[in-house]
Amino acid sequence: MKFMLMMGMKAGAESLPNGIMTWPRQDIQAHIQFMKNFTRSLKEGGELVSAEGLSWPSEAKIVRAAADGSPVTGTAFPESKEFLIGYWVVEVEDAERAYRIAARASAAPGPGGAPLNMPIEVRRIMSGPPEEFA
């Protein structure tokens, strides 16, 4: 089973526009090293499908098709309380394993090395439409 583990961040004055970049240098380095090690352990264990960090929401655009099909862009959800900052796609035996992996990611170190205990949304990736619509 494949699952997407999505790491979100609360929107607010302290997180935008600099977020982690406001932390002391050694805390940034520790956090990044944790994430590298975490992702490497998933890869070595054969569970990692993909993983990516995302740019800040200020760089995001929402795109819709105009009546003529040309792209119309706007800023991304300025009213959002949280935004997606990165994700992992894992392939594991069951949801419980995905939850254990998400809990490890949640405990990434923050300022002073304290675990962030950030929320990680876990969603199963569907391989196709529900059976009743296939």
Side-chain angles (χ1 to χ4, degrees), residues 14-109:
E14 72 285 350
S15 63
L16 296 173
N18 298 315
I20 190 174
M21 300 312 290
T22 63
W23 298 359
R25 183 176 182 80
Q26 69 273 14
D27 293 339
I28 295 170
Q29 291 172 324
H31 182 81
I32 291 170
Q33 191 60 52
F34 173 92
M35 289 299 181
K36 286 180 176 180
N37 292 341
F38 173 72
T39 301
R40 184 174 30 252
S41 73
L42 293 174
K43 184 176 183 178
E44 289 171 354
E47 295 174 314
L48 182 67
V49 174
S50 66
E52 298 291 342
L54 302 173
S55 65
W56 290 105
S58 60
E59 297 180 38
K61 296 290 183 202
I62 299 298
V63 179
R64 290 186 173 82
D68 66 357
S70 64
V72 176
T73 62
T75 57
F77 309 112
E79 69 282 353
S80 293
K81 302 282 189 246
E82 293 184 0
F83 59 91
L84 184 62
I85 195 68
Y87 67 88
W88 298 266
V89 174
V90 296
E91 189 162 5
V92 294
E93 294 258 338
D94 55 29
E96 288 303 316
R97 176 64 184 145
Y99 301 154
R100 288 192 302 276
I101 293 170
R104 284 178 46 212
S106 173

Side-chain angles (χ1 to χ4, degrees), residues 129-134:
E131 287 184 26
E132 64 266 22
F133 299 106

